[in-house]
Amino acid sequence: MAKKTTHEKVASAFKTLLARAEQVRVNNTEVTSATANCLGKWSISMKLKGGKELALDDKALDAITYDKGDFVVHTEDGKKENRIAFYSMKKEVPRHI
């Protein structure tokens, strides 16, 4: 079995925490609902408090990084980053990255 790369560990941790977290925040704004679809390719849609929506496709998930307790996803134009944090009773931080 091939050893996982850091990027594969980040993507795996993101998907695991998405399923396990009690609360998700994007740029410190609470996510009110989210749907994930993994048929064929991954796609995740998150509705934020205030009416905004963040959609992540397979390409965005492939480029996800981990920095200081947050998962970072850049917008398509690469000019802005979205910092995603997962919470249960406290902030969830993956231990194996």
Side-chain angles (χ1 to χ4, degrees), residues 4 12-13 16 19 25 31-32 34 38 43 45 47 50 52 59-60 70 73-74 79 87 91-92:
K4 282 188 173 183
S12 176
T16 300
R25 291 181 168 267
V31 173
T32 56
C38 62
S43 66
S45 176
K47 293 189 188 290
K52 288 188 178 182
K59 184 180 174 186
D70 296 332
V73 180
H74 292 276
K79 293 181 180 177
Y87 296 86
K91 188 170 182 178
E92 290 282 351

Side-chain angles (χ1 to χ4, degrees), residues 11-81:
S12 176
F14 180 83
K15 293 168 190 170
T16 300
L17 290 175
L18 183 64
R20 192 173 76 190
E22 292 177 20
Q23 185 181 70
V24 180
R25 291 181 168 267
V26 176
N27 298 329
N28 215 20
T29 302
E30 188 177 341
V31 173
T32 56
S33 67
T35 57
N37 183 355
C38 62
L39 297 174
K41 294 183 177 181
W42 272 95
S43 66
I44 298 171
S45 176
M46 295 183 226
K47 293 189 188 290
L48 309 177
K49 216 175 217 178
K52 288 188 178 182
E53 188 170 331
L54 175 65
L56 304 174
D57 59 5
D58 230 14
K59 184 180 174 186
L61 291 170
D62 283 344
I64 198 165
T65 57
Y66 184 76
D67 177 50
K68 300 177 187 170
D70 296 332
F71 290 90
V72 179
V73 180
H74 292 276
T75 56
E76 286 183 17
D77 60 9
K79 293 181 180 177
K80 186 178 175 199
E81 64 181 25

